[in-house]
Every structure is written in C-alpha cells, then in structure tokens.
C-alpha cells in the first residue's frame, strides 16, 4: 500500500494547485463580498459559503478521482499498477489515501488558512468567527464521496450515456442536499453525508478490485441506491418543472384581482369571516364584506357589504413560535439604518453576538468597509439577552425592538444603552412570540404577544409616527401603553396559533380564537374568557378557505413519488417535527381529500409499474427467482425508477447460437441452456496441431487465392 | 505430463467483449522450465489471454491457473513469482529509472538491484533519467530491467522486442535464454518475430481469431506441417479434397499448399489434383504464416499488388 501511496502522491501532486487556487479565490471573494456577517448562511440570492465550498470541493474530488483512475484504464498501466506483491485492496487503499491527502491539502488547506485569518482579524471588520467555517469543512468531508464517484465512473464498465455518469449525479446531489440542510436539519445533512461517503467508497473499492465489474452484492447494492436516486431525481425534477410552470401560470392569471378571506374579531368580539379585496392601484387589502361565523357551516355565501367604518377589534396574534433564529449561529443580523448624527447621517448595522451576549454596532463606510463602533451589553438587572425570538424593523432613527427569552428591549439608534421595555419572568425559556404591527398608516404601534406556558403577556407600545408612512419621519417616543398578563383557557393554551382581543376598551373580557389557517377544514375554537382564564362563552365553527389567491395547484408532482421515497420523506418530517408534523401532513390530506387522493392513487400505481419493469428487467438479465423476488420488493418501494437499476447492476447477458442445436443460448455458462451441449467443445476445423493429438480432417479452409 | 510440471493451465478459457469473442474455449498447458512462444496476428487474442492469465480481466467462461493458483485470485506471493512485461513497455512518464526500481523493489522481495543496474547500463540509461525523456528503445530496456530484476519463476512477456534495435534484440534473446536455463524458469513470450521464436522457444502456440490452433513442441510442429508446390488450377473444389489443408497460396503459375499432419492420403489427394506436384521444404515461418494469413486480406493485397504491376 505504501508503494502505491507514494506513487500516486508523486504522480498527482501536480494537480493540487488546481484545487487550492479556486478554493482560495472563492474564500477571498466570499470574504470581500460578505455583508457584515461572515458565516455559512445564505444571503439574498447568492450561494451560501457552505454551498459554494461544497460545490467546489465536490468538483475537486471528482476531478481528482478522474485523474487518479483515468491513466489506469490502459491495460498496460493497470497491469504495472496491480501486478506486484500487494493485493488489489491494498492498491485501492494506497490510491484512496493519496487522494485523501491531496484533497485535504487542496480543500482543507485554504479553509484552515481562512480560519487563521479570521482569528487574527477578530470581529473588528466583520462579524466573523472561525467556527463559521465548520459547516464548510463538514460538507467538504461529505464531498469526498465525489472522489469515489469519479473513480466509479471511470472504472465501471458501462455506457457513458447510459448509467455510467449517473453515480456522479447522485454524489453531487447528496453534497448539494448536505449543503442545503446543514443549517436547517443538521442530523439529516450528517446522515446523508456519511451514508454517501460510505456507500460510494465501498462500491468504488469493490469495482476497482474486480476489474470494473460490479460483481459483488456490495457493489450492486451501492449502485442500485445511487442509480435509483439519480433516475428518481431526474424524473421528479421534470415533474416539478412542469408543475411549477403550471402553478405560476395559474397564479399569474389569478393574482391580478383577488380576495382574501380571514376570520377577525368583529366589533362585538364574535368571530366574523371577512373578505378583503386586493387593490392593484395602492397594493393593499381593504375589508369590503363580512359575515358572522355560524357553527358547522360555511358563511361564504352570506357575506354582505360592510360600511366603511366597520373595523374589527385590534388583536394580538401568535402565528408561530418565532424560532427562526438558528441556535447554531453565533451572529444574528438585527438591522441596518442610516441614523442622523448631528448634521450628518451615519450608516450603522447591528448584530447580536450570542457568544459575547452583546449587540455589536458597526459603522458602515463607503465601499462596504465595516468597523466595530460599539458593543451594547444587556441591561441590568436582567444581565443577559437570552435567546433571540423576534424583532421589529429598524425605524428611521435606528431604534428597534427585540424580543428575547428574557424580555423586550429597545435598541437605540444613537445611544449606548439598551432599554428594557418588559422583563419576562424567569420561567419563560419556552417563550414564543409574534410582533404585530398595525396596518393603519396613521398610527404605528407595536403589538406584542409574549407567550409562555398557559399565560400570555399582551403589550401595546406607543410608537407614533407623524408621517403617513411607517418608514419615514421622526419617532416621538416609545413606551408601553398597554400591558396585561392573561391566563389562557386550557383549550386555547394548547393551541400553537392563537389570536386574542379585548372585547371592550376598558376592563372588558378577552376573546380568543384558535383557528388553524393551514388546515381550514378543522373546527376552530372561539372563547370569551376572563383574565384569570375562566371561560364565559365558547363556540366552534369551521373557518373555510383563507387563501389570498385561489390558485389551482395540482398535486401531479406527488404522483411521481414512489412509496419508498414518500416513506423516507414522511419519516424525516416525523422525526423533525414529531407528532405535529405527521398531524399536519395528515390534516392537509384530510383537508383536500380529492386533491390528495388523486396523486396517492397515481402513487399506488408506481409499485405496480415498478414490479412490471422489474420482472421485465430481471428476465433480460436472467436473474434467478430469489434475486428477482428481492428486486420486486425494491420495485414496490421505488417504482419503475428503482427497477431500472437492475439493468445497470447486472451485466448484459450475451447470447449466441449453440453449435449443436443452433438455438440461442447465453455464453457465460458451461453448457447450452437448450440442449445441454458443452459450449467448450468447439468443432475442430482440421488443422489443429496439439501434442499427442492427431488432426481430424473435417472441414478444410477455403483457399486464399484461386 | 505431470500436474506439477505445468506453470500455466487454461481450461475452456473464453472471453467476450460485448458480442465479440476475443478468446474461445482456449485450453492450453505451458510446461515448467520451457520457453513457450505465443504467436498470432493482431487482434487474435494474445494480449487478452495474458490479461486473463494475470487476473487483470475476468473470463466470461472457463478458468486459468498460474503456478497452481487460480488466476482470478492470485495471491501477492504468487504475483511476486511472476514477471510480466506489458505490451508497449508502458512506464509512467514522470518516473525516473531509479523510481521505477524503487517501486518494484518494495513489492518484489527477490529484487536483484545488480541485474537492474547492469541492464540500465547496457541500454545506456542513467538512473536519474526521466522515462518521458529517454528513447523508445531505452524505455523498453528499463521496462525489461524492471521485469527481469524481480527474479521471477515465470516470465510472461508481451512483445518484448518491440522498439529494440537489432543489437538489443539479440541481447534480449540471449538474456532470456540464459534466464530460462536458471533453475527451471518458465517463459511465455508473445511475439510477432518468428526468428526470435526459432531461437528462443521450445514450444509454440498459435492463436487465430480467439482460437488455439497449435500447441506443440517446436520441432514436432515443424515435423507435422507439410508443403507441396503444384502447377495446376486450384480452387475451392480442389481444396475440399485435401484433408488438413491450412493454406493455399497462388504465386504466378504455381500454387503452394501447407497441410497439417500430411500422410499418404494427403499425398494421393495432391497427386490427384496435379501429377507434377512435389513436396516442398517448409521453414517455421512458412508454417506459422500459413496459420496466420487471414485469407481475405492476403488475397486482396496480392490482387492490389498485381494490379499495380
């Protein structure tokens, strides 16, 4: 192994700069073009650092795998490599280790250099930490599977425009999936990365050792997975493109003039279905019709025009958990504004540094040069910002509000201290919140619903803007004008999405609504309750459709998803979101039974088609009954796309006619399948000269010249 | 022949590339301690046979053994006892001669550095010469040195004379003869040069279109091939009357016949076609070429030359 390792190293070291140079260029350009926070995330439409490094590392690995194998394709070169006192396994290991070392130098060298640079610069010029490179390093490890894919593509005996290039496609897809999922579902990204690496290295080893034949079960299994994923991805991509085109066309037709249906608290505190018309001239919704909700029936057909002064009660809504801030990232960008400072304006940017538990204030200079200007610490006596949950937009003076698990804070645009608007009790670690901004342009108020356990804090802050728009003009001040801790009724406390309003201005009861916007067919609960959670009145009704733009989005894409892929997707949703994920999938299906049933029905045809294709392919490859039975299971779960892998996993059976019976028979067995004649018995032509043998004159050759 | 006296054994060895059979049911024994020459035209299947023997290619059907070990599962130990010189004297161009020696030395325990150095000297190659910078003949010399210095029990050479000048070629043949005399070494040499075969080989195997047609001692082979010259019309009808006819070649008014295992029946058949037919002494080259001449090709070349005249 050592011999081959050194030989490979010396032979291919010259390619290393071709990997190092693009890596360095990408890292430097990414650093220069980064907008303040240098991390693995994605900003705007640009590729994230992780995806870029993943893409480049995968290309480097693929090219390295190619060049390390291509030269061995010549029989003489392969003979010189393998015909020596080592096993083919050892030769593969030598190649692998040399490839790994060269890849490490090309990919991890620049990454380490970048980490050293970031460490030396600190956070003075960018909100950056060497740990931002960890996801890139992890994706680079997974991308090494492309080295094995390169080797596999070169070594394997297959048609280039058939299944030969497909393993490379799957490896690239896996790396891309890892890069996309790294910051979202880390365990899934890690699993995909490790699985791809293991499957590809194992398959490549087997194919290398067996002279390009996928003759073993391991190689067949690896190829089957790789090819099924590749074929399935291609089919689903086409289906998705068609579906996207259809949906966009339908949306374009519907978006011009449409209505949005929502449930609001009417002036009486009761739930009303309202219709808001979207105006294409001033780009906003205006409620023009409403109808009081009735139990167990739709009121869509009872909507009546409402007077211009008809207004729903102001409500606090919680539309989600507010967990959109990745806990794995050190820096969270809070906002950016041009802040008046004396006679000039200074452009500033604010970043929450979770590690330092401080807000970093950067001054932005021309040509996007950043410089750390101040560090704002959490105010006493709270002492910590806790976990970020939500924030308001930055106003023209640079003031903005953040909601964390320890309280609500006002961050000043020009000041040096963060103010506490509301300090939360200690047991609020599971807080989730939603900031509601009133849509009335004359009054710019922040409405906060802070929820922890079965209680909510309702806050309304004065935040009055003299100008008719929210984004311009000076802000007079900020303070809490309404604050109340309310005990939720038990039934409402368990709901994730709630709306609360006060049914009268002074000292009245509260009304609460637990509609489920994503599952409109599900009954919604309405309560009138006191501040201590005591229920005064309770109703149930069905919300009905709330889609802003009613678009006929067919689910034909789902028809191409085979049961196995669906099961994997379902399992991922279940693991990631627990019961709620499954419940949501199920409820969605129940909400649109017909729309869901059609693709499911088509999806069920897939196993049938898969089995038919598998039987055909197995017969073509002359698989025995046991192997065919195993493939039928695979075909059941992965449909025709999975069945096609049979053709690549097994070599084509060559047939020719038997010398004895003239029937066609396969040539890789000792005897004719039809008559049992030994295929090794080649008829003599009468000119053979063998030791201790006599020539049998049977059929002399034709003369070469007449 | 006793089992342990066989260095290479193949049984029904068959290899297809797609629909094309490169080797068909080849059954061959190469005895230990002898030099066997493998002869065949381009594309006959010689190199495929060697790749199959060394386990570098899996057979479609049949099996092969090398020094008693199945060729598809040759152990590293067996491989070190087999020297292989690939066709074209392939070497990695970036290597220096001393790197090539190092590569071999570390994986062949019986490496003979002295022999390697001597051969380099003979071919005028410095150990620091890079392979891509030396001549084709010198590269052949390095390649040969790399193979012979492993001190193999069995030497498999695929066209070793390719690229060698006459002096080097002569030296190679003498070197191989000397090698073969040491401790019962076996050589399987694949070559197109019939002079070398005559000088070097104890046995000859002829492969044509993937089929083994001859596997015999060299002198026995000569004895079993006969030739006639006749001055008569000779066509397919006449050819069918002669048992064991290998080849018939027309030169102006004469026809030369080459026949395997001629006997009295052959003599009678030839005389029946032409009473003036007379026996012809055949050289090894005549006999081998009779097996190798693809009828259609030779015919068309002769016709073409005739037209030019």
């Amino acid at each position: 192994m050592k011999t081959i390792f050194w030989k490979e190293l010396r032979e291919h070291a010259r390619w290393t700069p071709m990997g190092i140079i693009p890596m360095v260029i990408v890292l430097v350009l990414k650093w220069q073009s980064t907008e303040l926070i240098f991390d693995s995330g994605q900003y705007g439409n640009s590729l994230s650092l992780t995806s870029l490094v993943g893409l480049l590392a995968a290309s480097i690995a693929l090219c390295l795998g190619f060049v390390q194998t291509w030269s061995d394709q010549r029989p003489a070169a392969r003979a010189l490599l393998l015909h020596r006192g080592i096993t083919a396994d050892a030769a593969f290991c030598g190649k692998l280790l040399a490839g790994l070392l060269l890849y490490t130098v090309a990919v991890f060298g620049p990454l380490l250099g970048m980490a050293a640079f970031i460490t030396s610069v600190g956070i003075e010029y960018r909100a950056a930490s060497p740990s931002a490179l960890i996801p890139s390093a992890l994706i680079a490890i997974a991308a090494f599977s492309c080295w094995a894919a390169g080797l596999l593509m070169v070594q394997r005996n297959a048609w280039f425009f058939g299944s030969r290039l497909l393993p490379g496609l799957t490896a690239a897809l896996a790396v891309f999936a890892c890069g996309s999922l790294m910051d979202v579902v880390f365990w899934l990204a890690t699993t995909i990365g490790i699985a791809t690496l293991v499957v590809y290295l194992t398959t490549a080893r087997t194919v290398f050792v067996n002279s390009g034949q996928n003759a073993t079960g391991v190689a067949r299994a690896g190829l089957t997975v790789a090819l099924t994923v590749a074929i399935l991805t291609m089919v689903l991509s086409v289906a998705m493109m068609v579906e996207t085109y259809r949906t966009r066309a339908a949306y374009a037709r519907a978006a011009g003039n449409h209505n949005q249906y929502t449930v609001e608290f009417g002036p009486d505190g009761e739930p009303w279905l309202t219709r808001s018309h979207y105006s294409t001239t001033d780009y906003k919704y205006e409620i023009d019709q409403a109808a009081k909700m009735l139990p167990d029936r739709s009121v869509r057909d009872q909507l009546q025009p409402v007077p211009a002064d008809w207004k729903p009660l102001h409500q606090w809504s919680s539309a989600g958990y507010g967990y959109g801030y990745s806990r794995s990232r050190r820096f969270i960008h809070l906002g950016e504004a041009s802040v008046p400072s004396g006679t000039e304006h200074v452009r500033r940017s604010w970043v929450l540094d979770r590690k330092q538990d401080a807000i970093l204030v950067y001054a932005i200079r021309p040509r996007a040069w950043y410089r750390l200007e101040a560090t704002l610490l959490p105010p006493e006596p709270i002492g910590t910002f806790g976990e970020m949950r939500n924030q308001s937009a930055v106003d023209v003076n640079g003031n903005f509000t953040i909601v964390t698990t320890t309280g609500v804070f006002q961050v000043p645009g020009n000041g040096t201290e963060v103010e506490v608007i509301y300090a939360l009790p200690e047991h609020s670690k599971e807080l989730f919140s939603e900031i509601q901004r009133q849509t009335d342009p004359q009054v710019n108020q922040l409405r906060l619903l802070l929820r922890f356990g079965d209680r909510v804090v309702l806050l309304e802050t004065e935040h009055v803007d003299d100008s008719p728009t929210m984004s311009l003009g000076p802000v007079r001040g900020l303070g809490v004008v309404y604050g109340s801790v309310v005990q939720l009724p038990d039934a409402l406390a368990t709901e994730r999405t709630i709306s609360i309003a006060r049914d009268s201005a002074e000292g009245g009861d509260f009304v609460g609504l637990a509609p489920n916007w994503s599952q409109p067919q599900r009954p919604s609960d309405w309560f009138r309750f006191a501040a201590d959670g005591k229920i005064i009145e309770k109703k149930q009704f069905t919300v009905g459709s709330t889609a802003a733009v009613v678009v006929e989005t067919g689910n034909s894409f789902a028809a191409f998803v085979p049961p196995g892929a669906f099961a994997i997707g379902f399992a991922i949703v279940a693991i990631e979101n627990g019961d709620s994920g499954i419940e949501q999938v199920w409820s969605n299906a129940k909400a649109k039974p017909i729309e869901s049933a059609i693709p499911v029905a088509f999806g069920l045809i897939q196993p049938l088609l898969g089995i038919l294709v598998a039987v055909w392919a197995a017969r073509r490859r002359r698989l025995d009954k046991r192997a065919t039975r195993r493939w039928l299971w695979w075909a059941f779960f992965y449909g025709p796309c999975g069945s096609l892998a049979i053709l690549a996993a097994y070599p084509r059976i060559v047939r020719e006619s038997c010398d004895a019976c003239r029937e066609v028979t396969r040539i890789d067995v000792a005897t004719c399948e039809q008559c049992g004649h030994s295929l090794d018995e080649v008829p003599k032509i009468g000119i053979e000269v063998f030791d201790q043998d006599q020539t049998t004159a049977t059929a002399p050759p034709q003369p070469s010249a007449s | 022949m006793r089992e342990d006296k066989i260095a290479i054994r193949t049984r029904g060895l068959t290899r297809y590339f797609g629909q094309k059979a490169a080797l068909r049911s080849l059954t061959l024994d190469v005895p230990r301690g002898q030099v066997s020459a493998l002869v065949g035209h381009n594309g006959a299947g010689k190199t495929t046979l060697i790749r199959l023997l060394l386990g570098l290619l899996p057979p479609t059907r049949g099996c092969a053994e090398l020094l008693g070990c199945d060729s598809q599962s040759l152990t590293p130990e067996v491989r070190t006892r087999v020297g292989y010189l690939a066709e074209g004297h392939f070497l990695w161009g970036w290597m220096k001669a001393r790197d090539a020696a190092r590569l071999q030395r570390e994986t062949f325990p019986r490496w003979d550095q002295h022999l390697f150095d001597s051969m380099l000297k003979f071919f005028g190659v410095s150990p620091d010469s890079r392979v891509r910078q030396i001549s084709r003949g010198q590269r052949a010399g390095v390649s040969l040195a790399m193979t012979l210095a492993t001190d193999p029990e069995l030497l498999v050479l695929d066209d070793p004379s390719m690229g060698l000048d006459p002096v080097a070629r002569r030296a190679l043949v003498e070197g191989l003869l000397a090698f073969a005399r040491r401790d019962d070494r076996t050589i399987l040499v694949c070559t197109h040069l019939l002079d070398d075969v005559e000088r070097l080989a104890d046995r000859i195997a002829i492969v044509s279109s993937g089929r083994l047609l001859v596997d015999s001692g060299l002198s026995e082979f000569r004895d079993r091939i006969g030739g006639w010259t006749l001055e008569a019309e000779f066509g397919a009808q006449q050819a069918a009357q002669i048992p064991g006819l290998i080849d018939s070649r027309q030169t102006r008014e004469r026809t030369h016949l080459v026949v395997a295992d001629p006997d009295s029946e052959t003599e009678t058949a030839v005389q029946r076609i032409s009473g003036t037919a007379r026996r012809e002494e055949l050289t090894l080259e005549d006999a081998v070429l009779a097996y190798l001449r693809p009828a259609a090709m030779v015919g068309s070349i002769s016709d073409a030359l005739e037209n030019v005249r």
Side-chain angles (χ1 to χ4, degrees), chain A residues 70-122:
Chain A
W70 192 259
S71 54
D72 296 339
Q73 284 305 97
R74 288 176 60 182
R78 188 169 167 81
L80 190 58
L81 180 79
L82 294 180
H83 183 69
R84 53 188 65 251
I86 55 169
T87 58
D89 257 332
F92 176 79
C93 288
K95 269 184 173 291
L96 171 66
L97 289 180
L100 191 58
L101 183 61
L102 296 175
Y103 177 77
T104 304
V105 171
V107 175
F108 290 92
L111 282 176
L112 279 174
M114 191 72 195
F117 170 73
I118 292 171
T119 309
S120 69
V121 168

Side-chain angles (χ1 to χ4, degrees), chain A residues 552-706:
Chain A
E552 192 188 323
T553 52
N555 289 330
S556 55
F557 165 74
F560 293 91
V561 181
F566 181 78
I568 290 173
F570 195 76
I572 291 168
V573 170
I575 295 169
E576 189 55 22
N577 299 319
D579 292 343
S580 64
I582 300 170
E583 192 185 334
Q584 193 168 347
V585 171
W586 181 243
S587 300
N588 281 344
K590 277 204 301 188
K592 294 177 180 173
I594 296 171
E595 289 93 330
S596 304
I598 293 169
V600 169
F602 274 106
L604 288 175
I605 295 172
Q606 290 231 21
L608 192 67
L609 279 174
I611 287 170
L612 288 175
V613 175
V615 169
W616 167 79
R619 289 185 72 172
R620 271 190 78 84
R621 292 294 185 258
R622 297 286 173 130
L623 302 191
D624 59 30
K625 280 183 182 168
R626 199 171 153 210
T628 307
R629 267 202 300 275
R630 279 203 304 265
W631 275 103
L632 290 184
W633 280 108
W634 184 259
F636 180 84
F637 285 113
Y638 295 100
C641 298
S643 305
L644 287 174
I646 297 176
L647 299 176
Y650 294 89
R652 200 167 56 150
I653 302 296
V654 178
R655 295 183 185 83
E656 63 176 27
S657 60
C658 167
D659 290 328
C661 65
R662 298 287 163 203
E663 292 289 327
V664 173
T665 183
R666 57 191 294 177
I667 47 95
D668 59 337
V669 291
T671 55
C672 171
E673 293 172 302
Q674 319 298 337
C675 66
H677 171 74
S678 170
L679 297 180
D680 287 336
E681 285 177 25
V682 181
K684 292 197 169 175
I685 56 176
I687 58 169
E688 292 85 350
V689 176
F690 296 135
D691 276 347
Q692 300 166 352
D693 190 8
Q694 290 301 313
T695 302
T696 314
T698 50
Q702 295 300 305
S704 58
S706 56

Side-chain angles (χ1 to χ4, degrees), chain A residues 2-4 6-8 10-11 14 71-87 157 210-211 213 652-656 659 666-671 679-695 697-698 700-706, chain B residues 12 14 16 18-19 24-25 51 54-58 60-61 76 79-80 82-84 86-87 90-92 94-95 99 102-104 106-108 146 203 211-217 220-221 224-225 234-236 239-240 242-250 260-261 291 293 295 299:
Chain A
K2 201 175 79 180
T3 313
I4 303 298
W6 282 113
K7 177 250 159 194
E8 290 288 318
R10 291 193 59 180
E11 189 172 352
R14 64 201 156 123
S71 54
D72 296 339
Q73 284 305 97
R74 288 176 60 182
R78 188 169 167 81
L80 190 58
L81 180 79
L82 294 180
H83 183 69
R84 53 188 65 251
I86 55 169
T87 58
N157 297 331
N210 291 290
S211 312
Q213 309 290 309
R652 200 167 56 150
I653 302 296
V654 178
R655 295 183 185 83
E656 63 176 27
D659 290 328
R666 57 191 294 177
I667 47 95
D668 59 337
V669 291
T671 55
L679 297 180
D680 287 336
E681 285 177 25
V682 181
K684 292 197 169 175
I685 56 176
I687 58 169
E688 292 85 350
V689 176
F690 296 135
D691 276 347
Q692 300 166 352
D693 190 8
Q694 290 301 313
T695 302
T698 50
Q702 295 300 305
S704 58
S706 56
Chain B
T14 304
Y16 278 70
Q19 290 280 352
R24 264 177 196 279
S25 301
R51 288 172 65 196
L54 293 168
L56 300 170
L57 197 64
T60 305
R61 197 172 70 227
R79 283 195 186 278
T80 61
V82 181
Y84 172 50
E87 188 179 19
F90 176 81
L91 286 173
W92 291 290
W94 57 270
M95 270 189 176
D99 296 328
R102 184 184 160 196
L103 187 74
Q104 297 292 83
E106 287 177 359
T107 46
F108 287 91
M146 280 175 70
R203 298 180 60 78
R211 291 188 56 168
L212 184 68
L213 296 179
V214 175
D215 175 21
S216 166
E220 190 189 359
F221 172 65
R224 288 175 60 177
I225 304 296
F234 193 85
I242 303 176
L245 179 69
I246 303 167
D247 183 41
S248 63
R249 188 163 50 90
Q250 197 94 37
D261 289 318
Y291 276 95
R293 277 174 7 116

